[in-house]
Amino acid sequence: MLAFIDESGQPHPNDSNPVSTLVAVCMREREHRTLSRQLHAIKMTLVGREDVELKSLELMNERTFRRIPAKKELVEATFDLVSRLDVTIFAIIMPRPKSVPDIRPDHLPTEHIYLLQRVNALAEEMGEEALLIYDGRGMNIHGRNLSACINGYIFKVAEYNGILKRTVDTALFVDSRVTPGIQLSDLAASAVRQYQQNDLYKGIPAGDLYLSAIARFYNTVKRKTRDDLTNDRGKQLWGLYKFREELSYQHGMEPIEQEQVE
């Protein structure tokens, strides 16, 4: 099983976003081949080029939606494709912390641990090994090497405690420009973040076509989540999981709360 992982914003006091998200788009290998072919067709039909990278920073903003119809249609078509693919999506949603979390060299932050619990639970159900695939150009943990943090956690914590047995211990870091799965996780992470930080679960402002689109994209992601999985300790895992700020400073393995997202 392939788990494509990306983020939108970072849980850091200097981040411009009041909310950040960490997302995994999970699929079998054969489904990624289907994704590649169909996404290629979408890009050629709408923009006439296959080398267009789906990057939320450039595509999922109000200016693009208003002024560049072709890019708007590209995002719309991509989320429509997501709705038809056999994928499972998990998202961890974090408020912006007031102080910088203490990240030790061998420590994996809570949001990453929670996401890996969900990926591992899905892989266990599928009877497969979960290969973690990250955007090699952008992701780090407050300046620390993400690969080292993952490796340290799996070898020093997970293996010792007999957890995450379905998760491959060495993550891959790829070029998002040529990896469709990472492009999907990038767009999904942005949709969840923008939905949450704009409080769209309370309602969409009348006549706001952009936020209306964000709500539709978010609902596409939500329909691909699973709430019926459990971690290695038997605790329920919400597909969309939102935690309080203090969890950003937690060093343990187990959730201190479980909150389902609207």
Side-chain angles (χ1 to χ4, degrees), residues 11-153:
H12 190 283
N14 295 335
D15 196 82
S16 61
N17 302 294
V19 173
S20 59
T21 55
L22 183 67
V23 163
V25 177
C26 305
M27 66 187 77
R28 298 182 188 274
E29 291 183 40
R30 64 174 179 269
E31 193 67 7
H32 195 261
R33 290 195 291 272
T34 299
L35 164 63
S36 297
R37 291 194 298 270
Q38 296 194 25
L39 201 53
H40 173 271
I42 288 172
K43 291 178 179 180
M44 292 301 296
T45 298
L46 295 177
V47 295
R49 293 167 43 210
E50 64 176 332
D51 61 344
V52 176
E53 180 180 4
L54 299 179
K55 201 70 177 172
S56 60
L57 186 63
E58 300 173 1
L59 297 175
M60 291 181 63
N61 59 74
E62 193 167 357
R63 180 182 179 277
T64 296
F65 264 59
R66 287 185 174 181
R67 298 186 181 183
I68 312 177
K71 289 187 176 181
K72 173 183 180 296
E73 290 304 315
L74 182 58
V75 177
E76 295 274 7
T78 301
F79 275 98
D80 179 64
L81 173 58
V82 171
S83 72
R84 294 182 277 110
L85 290 171
D86 183 16
V87 300
T88 300
I89 303 177
F90 303 113
I92 309 300
I93 302 159
M94 303 143 282
R96 180 171 54 204
K98 296 181 179 63
S99 59
V100 179
D102 176 25
I103 307 299
R104 300 189 298 265
D106 61 346
H107 175 63
L108 191 61
T110 307
E111 63 270 17
H112 288 266
I113 296 172
Y114 284 13
L115 191 68
L116 295 192
Q117 288 178 340
R118 287 152 174 78
V119 170
N120 187 80
L122 180 63
E124 180 69 39
E125 180 185 87
M126 296 169 64
E128 297 191 5
E129 301 297 307
L131 180 61
L132 308 177
I133 305 172
Y134 291 83
D135 182 355
R137 293 190 298 157
M139 291 195 65
N140 63 72
I141 300 176
H142 305 168
R144 294 187 183 276
N145 184 287
L146 177 58
S147 178
C149 291
I150 293 171
N151 185 268
Y153 178 78

Side-chain angles (χ1 to χ4, degrees), residues 8 33 35 72 74 79 116 179 188 199 216 227 250 252 260:
S8 183
R33 290 195 291 272
L35 164 63
K72 173 183 180 296
L74 182 58
F79 275 98
L116 295 192
T179 311
D199 296 330
R216 284 190 284 103
D227 292 329
Q250 179 183 340
Q260 187 177 23

Side-chain angles (χ1 to χ4, degrees), residues 191-229:
V192 174
R193 176 185 60 77
Q194 293 190 57
Y195 182 91
Q196 290 294 322
Q197 72 181 35
N198 286 288
D199 296 330
L200 297 185
Y201 53 88
K202 297 178 180 178
I204 303 168
D208 194 322
L209 298 181
Y210 176 67
L211 290 183
S212 177
I214 291 297
R216 284 190 284 103
F217 301 154
Y218 171 84
N219 285 324
T220 295
V221 172
K222 187 175 182 180
R223 286 191 291 270
K224 290 296 180 176
T225 62
R226 294 273 303 273
D227 292 329
D228 59 341
L229 298 171

